[in-house]
Amino acid sequence: MKVSVVIVTYNGAQWIQKCLDSIIESTVDCSIINVDNNSSDNTLKLIREYFSEVHTVALDKNEGFGKANNIGISHALNQGADYVF
């Protein structure tokens, strides 16, 4: 069973570490996909520096929450995910 977790961010530097830590510490083995809606803070820097296991899709403009989720879900399914959260 392959589980993927999609996290959409936009200027979420103050929350992203706690969010990703909780997923990584979970008893469920999963891959993490971050879709960033063109953050202007250091969200991407934090993810890339401390969470190299997270696959990040950095958008060049804010596409909105729904579209960003769809991008992440498509990526997860293309990578063979059985379940997407």
Side-chain angles (χ1 to χ4, degrees), residues 12-72:
Q14 64 182 349
W15 302 287
I16 196 62
Q17 183 171 353
K18 210 174 209 182
C19 176
L20 294 175
D21 280 341
S22 71
I23 296 167
I24 291 167
E25 292 171 7
S26 169
T27 59
V28 176
D29 185 33
C30 61
S31 63
I32 304 171
I33 301 163
N34 166 246
V35 181
D36 185 77
N37 264 327
N38 198 31
S39 291
S40 58
D41 66 358
N42 63 340
T43 300
L44 286 174
K45 181 181 178 210
L46 287 170
I47 294 170
R48 289 176 176 151
E49 188 171 332
Y50 296 106
F51 299 97
S52 60
E53 67 270 42
V54 174
H55 176 80
T56 298
V57 178
L59 303 177
D60 59 1
K61 69 177 188 173
N62 189 334
E63 295 287 356
F65 185 72
K67 187 170 183 178
N69 267 300
N70 287 336
I71 291 167

